[in-house]
Amino acid sequence: MDVYLNGEFMPEEEASVSVFDRGFLYGDGAFETLRIYNGKPFLLERHIGRLGHSLGSLHIPEAYDFGDYVKAANELIRRNEITDGILRIQVTRGTGKRGYSTAGNYHPTLLISLTAAPPIDDSPPAPVKLITATSVLADHDPFSTLKTTNKLVNIIAMREAETAGADDALLLNQAGQLTETTSSNLFLILNDTLHTPPLSSGCLAGITRTFLLELAAAQSIPVTQDQLTPQHLPEAQGIFLTNSVRELQPVDTLDGQPIPQSPITEKLHQAYRHQVRKQTQ
């Protein structure tokens, strides 16, 4: 498989990054991950836009413009003959002197890579099992809405989920409010209304989250972004997760307790699949 590293296409076996790269030393960078359908990256422009926002917030200069990202991503897909897969774009501050200071001249490192993945059809998605994480908390800070390469909270929470035999872990913040899971945004259906935690809870500003909110509005499904607590969970008519790789996934158990399945979840899933087909034909 070829990758795109700092302006060049090369076999992944030949690609290397300095051991002094700040992405390796400090997690000083940002990334985006998205799906490829029918050889076309889905919502690529939105992901590039969020990447630019993340890099600007981290004060990492962009060595490539919007068109460069689009051209490189599409050429990489063509070179690797990928029909269905996962595309990852990662940018770090690059190599620099030891320590936390960002003073000096840095040349950002850009890596675009691909992974083949099984195609997704219109069948109802497989439900997932959740637990509530107890070892870590996700709280709102200036970087919680950015997709940075600092993911220790997510890693430790996922380890807890895997140890418990679950697929993912639900994260709470310091106030005891629901935020997200380790890799997905969270949606609850309460009284036939779609609820999701606001960004102020500490959740990521997910691309699929935003797209799903737009689809819900187009389907005339009432939507609200509000602070949710564990007390809302037993009242839910349905719970589902969203991310760019797995699309929309219903939750069937949380901490061992069964979760109802709502027709609203399937309605939104079909609306999402319709947009995938429409935009990647």
Side-chain angles (χ1 to χ4, degrees):
M1 192 82 73
D2 282 356
V3 299
Y4 183 79
L5 178 63
N6 294 331
E8 296 183 31
F9 296 97
M10 63 185 71
E12 60 184 22
E13 297 81 8
E14 298 177 11
S16 62
V17 175
S18 170
V19 295
F20 299 109
D21 190 279
R22 290 174 63 92
F24 169 71
L25 293 176
Y26 305 115
D28 189 2
F31 73 100
E32 292 291 326
T33 306
L34 59 144
R35 264 276 179 182
I36 300 165
Y37 304 94
N38 195 30
K40 298 177 182 178
F42 187 56
L43 303 180
L44 175 62
E45 293 79 6
R46 298 192 188 205
H47 283 277
I48 294 173
R50 184 174 65 178
L51 178 64
H53 173 65
S54 296
L55 295 176
S57 300
L58 298 175
H59 305 287
I60 296 176
E62 288 198 74
Y64 303 86
D65 63 24
F66 183 89
D68 293 330
Y69 287 121
V70 172
K71 183 178 179 181
N74 283 306
E75 175 61 17
L76 189 64
I77 293 169
R78 187 194 68 78
R79 283 173 176 255
N80 288 295
E81 300 180 340
I82 292 292
T83 301
D84 293 277
I86 299 167
L87 178 77
R88 179 183 170 106
I89 307 172
Q90 179 166 328
V91 181
T92 74
R93 199 177 303 275
T95 58
K97 62 184 180 182
R98 185 180 180 279
Y100 296 147
S101 173
T102 61
N105 296 318
Y106 288 92
H107 300 284
T109 298
L110 167 64
L111 173 66
I112 306 179
S113 58
L114 286 171
T115 304
I120 299 177
D121 59 28
D122 293 342
S123 304
V128 296
K129 301 182 186 302
L130 289 186
I131 63 162
T132 302
T134 59
S135 58
V136 289
L137 296 171
D139 225 350
H140 183 67
D141 62 47
F143 307 111
S144 64
T145 61
L146 309 178
K147 202 169 180 69
T148 72
T149 51
N150 284 272
K151 292 297 179 185
L152 284 176
V153 168
N154 308 65
I155 290 169
I156 297 304
M158 179 57 81
R159 184 182 186 279
E160 185 178 355
E162 292 172 337
T163 301
D167 301 300
D168 206 344
L170 177 62
L171 293 163
L172 308 181
N173 61 23
Q174 293 280 358
Q177 298 161 338
L178 310 180
T179 61
E180 59 188 354
T181 72
T182 67
S183 59
S184 301
N185 285 112
L186 175 72
F187 287 85
L188 275 64
I189 300 164
L190 298 164
N191 298 319
D192 297 321
T193 297
L194 194 61
H195 294 252
T196 191
L199 299 185
S200 60
S201 70
C203 70
L204 178 71
I207 298 296
T208 306
R209 171 186 182 273
T210 300
F211 192 62
L212 206 288
L213 290 173
E214 295 170 5
L215 290 179
Q219 297 286 320
S220 299
I221 297 172
V223 176
T224 182
Q225 300 181 52
D226 52 356
Q227 301 291 358
L228 300 167
T229 68
Q231 285 68 42
H232 289 102
L233 296 169
E235 304 170 8
Q237 298 164 277
I239 300 174
F240 65 86
L241 311 178
T242 60
N243 72 30
S244 296
V245 172
R246 295 195 296 271
E247 302 184 345
L248 184 157
Q249 289 186 299
V251 174
D252 65 351
T253 65
L254 173 61
D255 296 324
Q257 298 301 309
I259 301 296
Q261 301 302 303
S262 169
I264 292 177
T265 303
E266 179 57 22
K267 183 177 182 179
L268 287 168
H269 173 250
Q270 290 303 322
Y272 188 94
R273 295 299 307 155
H274 173 74
Q275 287 299 317
V276 168
R277 292 191 302 272
K278 180 179 177 180
Q279 297 186 36
T280 59
Q281 288 180 346

